[in-house]
Amino acid sequence: MADIINLLPDNIANQIAAGEVIQRPASAVKELLENAVDAGATEIQLIIRDAGKELVQVIDNGKGMSETDARMCFERHATSKIQTINDLFSIRTMGFRGEALASIAAVSQVELKTRLRGSEIGTYIEIDNSAVKKQEMCQTAEGTSIAMKNLFFNVPARRNFLKSNAAEMRHIVDEFIRVAMAFPQIQFTLTNNTQQLFYLEKGSLKQRIIAILGQHYNARIVSVKETTDYMNVHGFVGKPETAKKTRGDQFFFVNNRFIKSPYLHHAIMNAFAEMIPADSFPLYVLFIDLDPGHVDINVHPTKQEIKFDDEKLMYAFVQSAVKHALAQFNITPTLDFGLDPGIQQLDAVSKPFTEQQQAKSVNTSLYKSFTQANQAHTIDKSSNLKHWKDLYGSGESNVTYTETETETMDSPQEESYTTHSTTIESRSSATSMIDEGWQDTSIDQKVPVQVHQQYILSQIKSGFILIDQQAAHERILYERYQRAVQETAIPTQQSLFPQTLQLLPADAALIMEMIPDLQILGYDLEPFGNNTFVVRGTPADIQSGNEQASIEGLLEQFKHFSHELKLPRREQLIRSMARNNSIQAGKSLSTREMQNIIDELFACTMPNSSPGGKYTYISFKLTDLAKMFG
């Protein structure tokens, strides 16, 4: 029988290995940026064309490579970081496996220009499908410029699995932000199709966070710093009001390497317990520094998942550090003492307090009881406070008051009787309010009633139903938007004065991806350059002047569904719009609005649940009520 096992050719083996490391353009961005950081660069440029499918180029001013190193760096398992097995357990650099450049060269066309610091001439190398096509001397700046062109040109099936340009660009921005956040002492720029998306100057960690996430975080983040012999934690967490319904602003770095750790994330959530809603996510950028011997970073090809030798200790320490920071900066819910603008218009505030009015007020017994020595605790019972209004009255009011002198009640029985009478009166007034809400509109139907501005109570033949107004409206909007996508587009309400919307680069890339679907669903917006969009119109049922809040809320909901559910993009968008535009709990509804919700809900194909599976209503039968009351 003939032998059937053969060694794979190098080019095929390299392509298989590349599948672990280079899954999309963003994977190459991560590896190339980390190599530039390891080279000691202080300025790093990332240049992208066609969302990385045509070009990913990284230019740094690091130490560069010699001619031999420039050729060797494309070989598999070639690295300058590891000499012995012990080096594997004391790694503090970013790239160390020696697979990144070999994998990139296996699935793309690569051009490398590099000049060693202090050398007069550099090296140019051109590689195509792992084969060196050209190697020669060249003039170039100190440092390294590496360009990856035509990703997956030799693996068409892999290229077909890449997402849209907007989706791939979003992944690239994510990887860029993770590296740039970890090294605020390095200047980073990101250019996409000749448009500069990021220009991040060297600075402190706080300056880098604000430059990436937005200026509005300047006064809304709290410093975290704890030091022990075992490990150190430093960074920033957002105040409770910065918590969002979606993930995205959570960054963990271990020895400056970005990691994903649900376990440590849970520690942060526990530190914020009872400060934020259970379904919200706080902002945090935390750096953990510890001996590399206590952590294994070689458990995953992308090195984003790691293992600690004592996870419980890490959990307790991170949770304690965040709790201490929040307590130290007195992060607790605060009252807003800002004056209501309506109060400013009142006569007592807007009109001057004349000398005549001052003199009159000073002579009242109430004023004297608070100003005379040792009188603040005394109340003149004989006056029964009948002149209290003198303190506020101008003496010119047309309103007349009828005062009745009453005896002070000393009898407990009289006091009890008065309390009882008050209770009866309040009950009768409450009964009259209920009667007003339940007046017959017809023999068989009662007017719906809103309960705690959250539920709608409506009578039916067999009893009554209790409707969750938000879940019900979400179901109504969801089916309306589905029909729009499948049949007729939702009409757009054009704005008299179009608004400009400034977004973070990652959000701008996300909106670019969604524009065709948003137009079907009633939004009219177009790119205006530099992460800015012009909003010319919104769906007709969105209140005018609320365009920016509507789109920002829609983005947050979309990111929430993107993380929580693996749904098609259009389905995520429809659910996001339904959730974002639905009537929120706490909103007062008129009788007509409540009746419209009831009518539209039961005209839906699935009226009993929201798109997320939540009950929209619960029915109560008369027979069940009879049992409850015995």
Side-chain angles (χ1 to χ4, degrees):
M1 185 175 177
D3 297 331
I4 59 173
I5 296 179
N6 299 306
L7 288 174
L8 284 173
D10 284 345
N11 63 327
I12 296 178
N14 285 344
Q15 286 186 13
I16 293 172
E20 291 184 355
V21 182
I22 310 300
Q23 301 166 358
R24 56 183 1 130
S27 307
V29 167
K30 172 183 181 294
E31 300 292 348
L32 295 179
L33 287 177
E34 288 181 349
N35 282 346
V37 169
D38 285 343
T42 58
E43 296 177 6
I44 299 175
Q45 302 175 53
L46 172 60
I47 301 170
I48 303 294
R49 278 208 303 266
D50 193 23
K53 299 171 187 175
E54 181 183 338
L55 173 70
V56 172
Q57 183 175 11
V58 172
I59 304 172
D60 69 66
N61 65 346
K63 58 188 177 185
M65 289 183 282
S66 66
E67 183 179 1
T68 303
D69 286 347
R71 176 65 189 84
M72 282 291 294
C73 70
F74 291 102
E75 297 296 327
R76 287 196 68 195
H77 308 305
T79 177
S80 61
K81 319 286 176 59
I82 298 174
Q83 306 296 329
T84 68
I85 190 63
N86 292 329
D87 294 338
L88 193 61
F89 303 103
S90 58
I91 289 173
R92 288 193 176 272
T93 53
M94 305 298 289
F96 60 87
R97 288 185 167 189
E99 294 179 358
L101 293 182
S103 297
I104 290 171
V107 291
S108 66
Q109 298 164 329
V110 179
E111 290 183 3
L112 170 70
K113 291 181 181 179
T114 183
R115 178 157 71 97
L116 198 61
R117 198 171 288 166
S119 297
E120 294 183 357
I121 200 159
T123 304
Y124 172 82
I125 295 179
E126 187 178 319
I127 296 182
D128 190 335
N129 194 13
S130 295
V132 178
K133 298 296 182 183
K134 184 185 292 186
Q135 178 171 347
E136 60 188 22
M137 294 182 178
C138 71
Q139 282 292 339
T140 185
E142 285 187 352
T144 301
S145 168
I146 183 164
M148 181 192 77
K149 300 181 179 179
N150 302 320
L151 180 64
F152 298 138
F153 79 100
N154 53 350
V155 196
R158 293 283 303 278
R159 191 175 179 92
N160 292 338
F161 275 93
L162 294 177
K163 305 296 183 185
S164 66
N165 279 8
E168 294 298 342
M169 195 60 210
R170 188 153 46 94
H171 287 290
I172 288 172
V173 169
D174 285 345
E175 293 294 352
F176 174 83
I177 286 174
R178 290 165 182 172
V179 177
M181 192 80 83
F183 298 96
Q185 72 277 14
I186 300 176
Q187 176 185 302
F188 285 89
T189 60
L190 168 56
T191 305
N192 178 40
N193 294 336
T194 71
Q195 178 186 354
Q196 190 174 82
L197 299 184
F198 283 96
Y199 180 81
L200 304 175
E201 287 278 11
K202 305 172 188 176
S204 66
L205 175 59
K206 184 174 183 179
Q207 289 171 330
R208 180 58 54 91
I209 292 172
I210 292 168
I212 292 174
L213 300 182
Q215 188 64 35
H216 59 284
Y217 283 116
N218 190 21
R220 303 171 75 188
I221 54 178
V222 173
S223 174
V224 178
K225 188 173 180 65
E226 296 288 345
T227 304
T228 67
D229 294 337
Y230 181 78
M231 60 178 284
N232 302 328
V233 175
H234 72 279
F236 291 87
V237 295
K239 295 180 180 180
E241 63 264 28
T242 65
K244 297 181 179 179
K245 296 290 184 182
T246 58
R247 300 176 187 268
D249 294 338
Q250 292 80 39
F251 300 87
F252 264 123
F253 299 90
V254 173
N255 294 341
N256 279 355
R257 183 188 304 279
F258 175 80
I259 65 160
K260 294 178 180 178
S261 175
Y263 189 68
L264 293 183
H265 173 76
H266 190 269
I268 302 286
M269 295 299 289
N270 270 351
F272 274 90
E274 299 181 2
M275 292 186 189
I276 62 174
D279 58 347
S280 296
F281 300 93
L283 173 149
Y284 57 80
V285 181
L286 292 178
F287 291 78
I288 299 172
D289 298 320
L290 77 165
D291 187 334
H294 295 306
V295 58
D296 184 0
I297 56 177
N298 201 29
V299 298
H300 192 271
T302 64
K303 301 188 285 285
Q304 288 186 2
E305 297 177 15
I306 65 176
K307 286 185 177 179
F308 299 102
D309 62 353
D310 192 341
E311 289 190 329
K312 290 183 179 180
L313 177 62
M314 299 293 297
Y315 184 101
F317 192 81
V318 169
Q319 179 179 332
S320 173
V322 173
K323 274 188 173 181
H324 183 249
L326 294 173
Q328 184 179 3
F329 287 90
N330 196 25
I331 304 301
T332 54
T334 57
L335 293 174
D336 182 8
F337 290 100
L339 195 59
D340 188 319
I343 294 177
Q344 302 278 13
Q345 309 304 321
L346 297 178
D347 287 351
V349 176
S350 60
K351 291 184 178 179
F353 194 39
T354 64
E355 293 182 3
Q356 182 181 359
Q357 290 172 326
Q358 290 179 29
K360 188 172 182 179
S361 299
V362 166
N363 291 326
T364 62
S365 58
L366 182 62
Y367 179 90
K368 290 178 181 177
S369 69
F370 281 95
T371 56
Q372 293 176 2
N374 303 320
Q375 294 297 309
H377 63 283
T378 303
I379 296 178
D380 186 1
K381 294 183 179 180
S382 63
S383 69
N384 200 26
L385 300 182
K386 61 181 180 179
H387 300 299
W388 65 270
K389 56 185 173 296
D390 293 345
L391 187 64
Y392 304 100
S394 63
E396 299 171 358
S397 173
N398 294 325
V399 181
T400 58
Y401 297 89
T402 303
E403 297 174 353
T404 304
E405 297 285 12
T406 58
E407 295 291 329
T408 304
M409 289 191 300
D410 296 322
S411 169
Q413 291 181 346
E414 287 183 47
E415 191 172 353
S416 174
Y417 174 78
T418 306
T419 307
H420 182 64
S421 301
T422 306
T423 306
I424 293 174
E425 185 179 348
S426 64
R427 284 180 181 173
S428 63
S429 63
T431 305
S432 65
M433 288 171 63
I434 294 173
D435 287 343
E436 287 174 10
W438 282 79
Q439 290 174 350
D440 283 347
T441 54
S442 67
I443 297 174
D444 298 322
Q445 188 179 13
K446 296 282 187 180
V447 174
V449 173
Q450 192 176 22
V451 181
H452 289 289
Q453 298 180 332
Q454 187 170 358
Y455 303 101
I456 300 170
L457 191 148
S458 179
Q459 181 173 314
I460 57 176
K461 287 183 179 181
S462 61
F464 66 91
I465 57 172
L466 200 59
I467 300 170
D468 184 320
Q469 67 187 40
Q470 182 173 355
H473 196 222
E474 195 176 328
R475 163 55 63 179
I476 293 165
L477 293 178
Y478 175 77
E479 295 202 4
R480 186 184 300 170
Y481 296 148
Q482 269 195 329
R483 288 193 299 272
V485 169
Q486 295 166 3
E487 301 167 12
T488 308
I490 288 178
T492 300
Q493 176 179 270
Q494 295 295 328
S495 301
L496 188 60
F497 301 103
Q499 292 189 3
T500 55
L501 182 65
Q502 180 75 34
L503 297 174
L504 294 173
D507 288 343
L510 189 58
I511 282 286
M512 285 295 296
E513 183 182 354
M514 297 192 297
I515 280 181
D517 290 329
L518 286 172
Q519 290 173 340
I520 297 173
L521 294 167
Y523 285 94
D524 181 6
L525 70 163
E526 60 184 47
F528 197 58
N530 197 23
N531 305 320
T532 304
F533 296 82
V534 177
V535 184
R536 302 190 184 280
T538 54
D541 56 355
I542 290 180
Q543 186 178 356
S544 179
N546 202 31
E547 295 86 351
Q548 180 167 346
S550 169
I551 294 175
E552 288 176 347
L554 172 61
L555 272 172
E556 287 302 309
Q557 287 296 343
F558 185 85
K559 287 186 282 188
H560 167 71
F561 284 119
S562 297
H563 282 93
E564 299 298 324
L565 300 171
K566 300 300 182 184
L567 297 171
R569 189 187 69 211
R570 183 171 284 182
E571 174 70 11
Q572 291 177 11
L573 179 57
I574 292 172
R575 289 196 182 194
S576 302
M577 279 192 63
R579 175 76 61 85
N580 186 58
N581 296 337
S582 60
I583 294 171
Q584 302 296 305
K587 178 177 173 57
S588 297
L589 301 177
S590 66
T591 302
R592 175 173 291 184
E593 288 173 328
M594 288 188 283
Q595 194 59 55
N596 285 343
I597 287 178
I598 295 169
D599 295 340
E600 291 187 48
L601 176 64
F602 289 101
C604 291
T605 56
M606 292 183 62
N608 60 327
S609 68
S610 71
K614 183 180 179 182
Y615 285 125
T616 55
Y617 68 90
I618 300 174
S619 60
F620 296 82
K621 294 183 179 180
L622 288 173
T623 53
D624 296 333
L625 293 176
K627 290 177 183 177
M628 290 180 188
F629 285 99

